[in-house]
Amino acid sequence: MNNDSYFLGVDFGTQGVRVGIVDMKGHIMSSASINYNTYFPKKGEATQKPNDWWKCFKSTMKQALNELSISQRRKIKSITVDATSATVLCVSEKGEPLSDAIMWMDNRSEDIAKRINEMNHPILEHCGGSVYHEWFLPKALWFKENEPEVYSKAFKIVDQLDFINYHLCSRWVASKVNAVCKSNYVDGIGFDHNFMESIGLRDYKEKLITNIIEMGMLIGYLNTDIASEFEIDTIPVIQGGIDGQISTLGMGVIFPGRMSAILGTSFAQMIFTDNSNSKFKGIWGPYKNAMINNLSLLETGQSTGGSIVKWYQEIFDMKEKDFHENINRIIEKIPIGSNGIKYLDYFQGNRTPYMDSKASGVIYGLRLNHTKTDLYKALLESVAFGFKNIIINYENQGIVVEEIVCTGGVTFDRIWMQMLSDVTGKKLVINTNRKYGSILGCAILGAVATEKYTSLNEAVTQMVHEEESILPNMQHFNDYQELFNEYVKLYQKVEMMYN
């Protein structure tokens, strides 16, 4: 096998855009990233400027491509994009934004989601029994009900990925990944007309993109003006999907038994199953054939992960560069259980397994002798307990979790990673491209789509490489078990207070 083909991967994340050029062995030939601004106009709201995405993308492309010679640029065979979801905006037919984008984390449509869930429509069985306010349809309805003039003027209501793909190749399409996981699109059914009508989107065929393209399929070809600007060929534009889901591919998770864990600002866990008939509780899905034919995707998540550490640093003004190294030396000496401090890590609600947006952070057990490092270790433990709670919920419903493949910034914190392994009792795997899971996932899709590899399995085998694994200390696992039980009981007691 020669290694003369490269693949462009573009990752539109929450904080910024990253571009990477990847070879057939999965090596990152060059990469660059630029952040864009997020705005918080009101409590619970989060927005971005769509034109910022495109401007930052072009700058990032130039930086990444400048590291390659012209002859190397000619080896680029495809471009594939992933993006946050649901990050929703109104657009004109020519792709001009008519509104700011309501970001995935924005909770202004919480009441709309609640209203949809109270209908108990049968279509909800395909997504775990309820929609979440972060998803696409509640946000589209928010535009319709709160900005009717913008909604009426809009050619389409689109997701971030759709907007970017249109500007790459002038075609309005949506990804099946996004549609199934965030828009109540069901494989074999499509958009259910009765459901859409009952929630207030009778005009969905007019206002939403109904041309759904499977992940890894050809959308079109790069516009000639963009290709000329970057001195690359008019390469195929291959359909991507949601950043977390595409990152799962880049982590080599394509079969049941392996869970992907994206450990960043928030945590997201995903696993495939060949069981598409069960009604799962506290799990989003089963998303039948959302990504891989004959497999259903199950998704869970923790709204706060790495963001809790940032909160702690802000509260105690501990933003020094060597913060992690210094505090980890101290917390290693603190006994398991953090000297009696217990947290609930639901600072932004609980995604799963409780799906409780009203849940909030709790600190319990404080005494005058406690230190801020006790508080810190207890924070890390609480997130680990939340992680374990998700795994137990999977396993209680027959989903086997044999090992967990991890990516994201938290993988560089060895103390926290060992804690996650100890608390869950699971082997954690970290790959060489731990920072580039989404970029690598895009590249894998491009490599298969352009027939450089014959299948996802072949591409993953050749392009994903394990760097290290972390095994649990089973004595610590046993010590943590009772503390985990107390964590669950604490939520149950607090939940009774506010409901």
Side-chain angles (χ1 to χ4, degrees):
M1 180 190 70
N2 59 39
N3 194 25
D4 63 349
S5 296
Y6 299 161
F7 311 96
L8 257 169
V10 186
D11 170 39
F12 283 87
T14 299
Q15 298 180 18
V17 57
R18 292 189 302 168
V19 171
I21 295 95
V22 185
D23 71 9
M24 290 188 64
K25 284 294 186 180
H27 301 133
I28 308 296
M29 303 300 294
S30 68
S31 65
S33 63
I34 295 178
N35 286 349
Y36 31 68
N37 291 325
T38 301
Y39 304 91
F40 303 93
K42 295 179 182 178
K43 181 181 178 180
E45 296 185 356
T47 64
Q48 289 179 345
K49 305 288 185 184
N51 287 334
D52 288 351
W53 301 335
W54 189 248
K55 178 181 177 182
C56 290
F57 161 70
K58 294 181 75 171
S59 296
T60 308
M61 278 279 284
K62 288 177 182 177
Q63 289 183 27
L65 290 169
N66 279 343
E67 297 180 28
L68 303 181
S69 65
I70 295 299
S71 62
Q72 286 178 312
R73 296 186 195 191
R74 299 302 179 193
K75 294 181 179 181
I76 298 173
K77 304 301 181 184
S78 66
I79 181 170
T80 309
V81 179
D82 70 76
T84 65
S85 184
T87 296
V88 183
L89 65 148
C90 300
V91 295
S92 70
E93 189 171 1
K94 294 185 177 180
E96 300 158 325
L98 303 180
S99 69
D100 288 345
I102 300 177
M103 289 188 66
W104 64 268
M105 68 175 72
D106 188 293
N107 65 13
R108 72 183 71 185
S109 57
E110 193 169 26
D111 289 340
I112 297 174
K114 181 180 178 182
R115 187 179 76 212
I116 294 172
N117 293 332
E118 288 173 347
M119 296 176 184
N120 293 316
H121 195 283
I123 210 72
L124 298 179
E125 293 178 4
H126 297 274
C127 65
S130 62
V131 301
Y132 199 54
H133 66 266
E134 293 179 359
W135 294 1
F136 187 93
L137 296 184
K139 292 188 173 90
L141 278 167
W142 187 92
F143 275 117
K144 185 172 187 177
E145 295 173 9
N146 293 275
E147 295 189 3
E149 291 184 5
V150 175
Y151 183 88
S152 177
K153 185 179 178 182
F155 170 68
K156 296 289 181 184
I157 316 300
V158 303
D159 213 341
Q160 183 180 30
L161 177 65
D162 313 330
F163 177 85
I164 298 300
N165 279 335
Y166 175 81
H167 284 271
L168 289 175
C169 63
S170 302
R171 287 200 67 203
W172 285 117
V173 299
S175 172
K176 187 177 181 182
V177 178
N178 298 52
V180 174
C181 296
K182 303 295 181 182
S183 299
N184 297 99
Y185 181 95
V186 179
D187 182 71
I189 297 175
F191 291 110
D192 184 271
H193 181 77
N194 177 267
F195 173 71
M196 300 296 269
E197 187 176 56
S198 67
I199 68 172
L201 279 173
R202 180 186 298 226
D203 56 348
Y204 73 95
K205 291 182 181 179
E206 175 188 348
K207 288 299 184 181
L208 306 188
I209 297 175
T210 56
N211 186 10
I212 308 300
I213 303 292
E214 290 187 11
M215 175 192 79
M217 301 299 289
L218 175 71
I219 300 175
Y221 290 86
L222 192 65
N223 289 335
T224 55
D225 59 331
I226 300 172
S228 176
E229 180 177 355
F230 294 119
E231 297 181 275
I232 59 177
D233 294 336
T234 54
I235 52 178
V237 179
I238 305 303
Q239 183 63 285
I242 305 168
D243 52 355
Q245 275 78 344
I246 300 305
S247 185
T248 291
L249 291 183
M251 297 157 71
V253 175
I254 57 173
F255 299 114
R258 299 189 100 198
M259 172 190 283
S260 71
I262 301 153
L263 309 179
T265 302
S266 59
F267 284 10
Q269 302 91 0
M270 298 181 207
I271 194 166
F272 289 103
T273 177
D274 52 13
N275 182 354
S276 63
N277 298 317
S278 294
K279 297 178 182 179
F280 293 99
K281 183 178 180 181
I283 297 170
W284 291 325
Y287 297 129
K288 184 178 179 181
N289 297 334
M291 297 176 66
I292 299 174
N293 287 335
N294 301 316
L295 289 178
S296 292
L297 179 69
L298 301 177
E299 180 182 1
T300 50
Q302 294 166 264
S303 297
T304 45
S307 57
I308 278 187
V309 173
K310 292 181 181 179
W311 170 83
Y312 178 91
Q313 290 179 278
E314 292 283 345
I315 291 294
F316 290 104
D317 194 23
M318 299 174 70
K319 303 178 211 174
E320 62 271 17
K321 186 177 180 180
D322 51 359
F323 163 78
H324 290 281
E325 181 181 344
N326 291 338
I327 201 165
N328 280 344
R329 282 199 297 264
I330 300 172
I331 68 169
E332 278 190 296
K333 301 174 184 177
I334 297 173
I336 285 174
S338 304
N339 293 315
I341 296 178
K342 299 176 180 65
Y343 276 87
L344 292 181
D345 53 312
Y346 311 144
F347 285 42
Q348 288 285 89
N350 176 273
R351 283 184 184 169
T352 55
Y354 303 127
M355 297 183 174
D356 184 356
S357 61
K358 292 183 179 179
S360 63
V362 171
I363 308 174
Y364 178 79
L366 284 174
R367 302 290 183 185
L368 289 175
N369 64 315
H370 281 127
T371 67
K372 61 186 179 183
T373 46
D374 291 328
L375 285 166
Y376 182 75
K377 182 165 186 175
L379 266 181
L380 302 189
E381 288 179 333
S382 72
V383 176
F385 292 147
F387 198 100
K388 179 185 179 77
N389 207 19
I390 285 169
I391 292 173
I392 287 177
N393 187 47
Y394 273 126
E395 294 182 332
N396 285 344
Q397 298 179 79
I399 303 299
V400 177
V401 181
E402 295 173 353
E403 65 180 20
I404 304 168
V405 186
C406 302
T407 190
V410 172
T411 62
F412 292 93
D413 187 335
R414 187 55 186 246
I415 296 296
W416 202 0
M417 291 298 292
Q418 186 64 56
M419 184 187 294
L420 287 168
S421 180
D422 292 348
V423 168
T424 61
K426 301 295 182 182
K427 174 185 175 182
L428 306 184
V429 175
I430 302 173
N431 295 326
T432 52
N433 284 327
R434 68 176 79 186
K435 290 174 61 178
Y436 296 96
S438 52
I439 294 292
L440 189 54
C442 287
I444 287 169
L445 290 174
V448 177
T450 56
E451 300 183 342
K452 301 302 177 182
Y453 290 114
T454 59
S455 66
L456 281 177
N457 186 33
E458 184 185 16
V460 164
T461 300
Q462 294 296 324
M463 299 177 75
V464 181
H465 310 287
E466 182 176 326
E467 180 177 299
E468 63 172 321
S469 59
I470 300 172
L471 299 176
N473 179 319
M474 296 312 293
Q475 180 58 55
H476 290 177
F477 172 78
N478 293 330
D479 292 341
Y480 271 122
Q481 188 59 48
E482 182 56 36
L483 295 169
F484 168 74
N485 293 337
E486 293 174 4
Y487 166 88
V488 173
K489 291 176 184 176
L490 181 58
Y491 169 74
Q492 292 169 347
K493 292 177 180 179
V494 173
E495 193 266 345
M496 289 175 61
M497 291 171 58
Y498 66 75
N499 279 339

